[in-house]
Amino acid sequence: MTMSDRPSRRAILLKLGILFNAAVAAVLAVPVLRYLLSPVTRQRKQEYDAWISLGLLEQFPAGQTRMATYQHPSASPSDGETANIPCWVRHLESETFQIFAINCAHLGCPVRWFPQSNLFMCPCHGGAYYQDGSRASGPPERGLFEYSYKVERGALFIKTGEMPTPGAQASLSTRRSSCA
């Protein structure tokens, strides 16, 4: 082998550099491709669109507002306490309820119920809501978000698949249903 047949040091380093850059690009491309293809490859869990029981109707006396919690249906054991989602349940009469997300419509801080004043109050920025969830004062531009619910076999169920947001609320044709 003559001196002219051997590759130069520059050519070898150039090929090693290209090989190294291709390997790095491949490693970086894997998460990007997984993200881009995730809607196609991942099936939405059916249990996410579930009706979850908040408890028996006797737990929610008429004319009162109480906090209830439910466990998110797609939670895993590693989620711990974050899988438990609180909500406010207002029992109007008979089988008529209002179920509010605990989060303020302004920035999502948890609101508290004050029965003395019949108001939901947000501790973060002073937002206030009337007992029906409508805006009373403060920075929130709208009322509390409401969940869909149904009453079935003496129990109150909440629909977990729909996020309580303004877009979802506009698309809901009926918020409550009653089944025997």
Side-chain angles (χ1 to χ4, degrees):
M1 187 179 261
T2 65
M3 187 74 133
S4 63
D5 292 342
R6 290 188 350 188
S8 68
R9 187 177 354 179
R10 181 177 189 181
I12 292 173
L13 290 175
L14 180 65
K15 288 179 183 178
L16 284 174
I18 290 172
L19 183 65
F20 178 74
N21 283 326
V24 168
V27 167
L28 292 176
V30 169
V32 172
L33 288 174
R34 284 186 64 188
Y35 172 75
L36 293 174
L37 297 175
S38 66
V40 176
T41 60
R42 181 179 50 195
Q43 295 294 324
R44 186 173 179 188
K45 293 184 176 181
Q46 292 296 326
E47 68 266 12
Y48 184 71
D49 286 331
W51 288 94
I52 302 293
S53 175
L54 291 179
L56 297 175
L57 295 180
E58 294 83 40
Q59 293 176 283
F60 308 103
Q64 291 188 18
T65 301
R66 296 225 170 139
M67 181 181 281
T69 59
Y70 64 94
Q71 187 167 25
H72 198 277
S74 66
S76 67
S78 63
D79 291 338
E81 283 297 312
T82 61
N84 297 328
I85 301 172
C87 59
W88 291 106
V89 178
R90 180 176 178 231
H91 189 169
L92 300 173
E93 60 186 27
S94 179
E95 293 184 354
T96 307
F97 292 86
Q98 283 185 298
I99 303 175
F100 303 110
I102 197 169
N103 306 91
C104 177
H106 178 229
L107 291 178
C109 294
V111 296
R112 300 270 326 255
W113 169 248
F114 291 90
Q116 308 86 346
S117 58
N118 285 329
L119 290 173
F120 291 100
M121 304 286 289
C122 176
C124 296
H125 301 106
Y129 303 89
Y130 294 114
Q131 65 183 354
D132 67 353
S134 62
R135 179 188 177 275
S137 68
E141 296 181 7
R142 61 170 316 283
L144 291 173
F145 299 113
E146 279 189 65
Y147 286 101
S148 297
Y149 74 89
K150 71 178 179 178
V151 175
E152 190 173 277
R153 295 183 306 273
L156 181 62
F157 290 83
I158 187 171
K159 177 103 184 229
T160 61
E162 300 166 342
M163 293 299 291
T165 59
Q169 296 215 359
S171 68
L172 294 175
S173 59
T174 178
R175 194 173 303 291
R176 48 188 81 83
S177 63
S178 183
C179 301

